[in-house]
Amino acid sequence: MLPPANRLRRRDEFAVAVRRGRRAGRPLLVVHIAHSATDPHPSAGEPLPPRAGFVVSKAVGPAVTRNRVKRRLRHLVRDRIAMLPEGSLVVVRALPPAAEADHAELASDLDAALGRLLGRSRETRAASKPSGDTAARTGAQPKARP
């Protein structure tokens, strides 16, 4: 379960994240992220915690399926809440194929979307991308043209 301080509950918070935030789409879900200047639970001098909310429409399936998808997404976001910037509002919207997806597939799509939104995909791609051309990496000699 997501701690109460990390939950989005109000319609206007969802609207800010969806309308004013950045978006990353994946085959199973869409993630929206925005930074909020207001805290519905004000406390003296503490930074705003990241907050997350979920949208799982009837297009995903019947109530049992929608609730299963929401539970899986809540669990995945709970494990990743620490990597989100302070004061951020995150909305995870499940797409219909999420109903058939298992936990690992949802985790993979969520990680990819968050990585893209938080700017981690460039670092990962740069680290995994080999430098130089294929001939230089394999030690093969280029073919001479007649």
Side-chain angles (χ1 to χ4, degrees):
M1 188 61 100
L2 213 53
N6 295 116
R7 295 182 201 160
L8 280 184
R9 291 190 188 94
R10 297 185 355 216
R11 178 183 174 98
D12 58 334
E13 292 173 333
F14 277 85
V16 166
V18 172
R19 292 185 184 143
R20 295 188 189 146
R22 296 178 55 212
R23 176 182 70 202
R26 303 292 301 160
L28 303 176
L29 48 85
V30 177
V31 178
H32 302 266
I33 189 168
H35 294 284
S36 173
T38 61
D39 185 8
H41 315 289
S43 54
E46 290 185 25
L48 299 174
R51 296 188 308 262
F54 305 92
V55 177
V56 184
S57 75
K58 288 184 179 181
V60 173
V64 172
T65 304
R66 293 193 311 267
N67 289 331
R68 183 180 63 236
V69 170
K70 268 190 281 194
R71 280 193 308 270
R72 287 180 177 171
L73 290 173
R74 263 197 313 265
H75 177 77
L76 291 168
V77 170
R78 182 190 67 196
D79 293 342
R80 291 155 179 80
I81 201 84
M83 69 186 263
L84 298 173
E86 293 176 350
S88 60
L89 303 176
V90 177
V91 173
V92 180
R93 182 167 45 96
L95 299 176
E100 313 265 326
D102 64 6
H103 186 81
E105 292 170 325
L106 285 172
S108 174
D109 270 13
L110 181 62
D111 287 338
L114 287 174
R116 184 170 162 211
L117 289 171
L118 299 175
R120 296 200 174 108
S121 60
R122 288 186 202 137
E123 297 166 13
T124 305
R125 278 187 287 192
S128 66
K129 185 187 257 186
S131 60
D133 62 6
T134 306
R137 280 185 276 133
T138 60
Q141 296 294 323
K143 294 183 181 179
R145 295 188 182 188

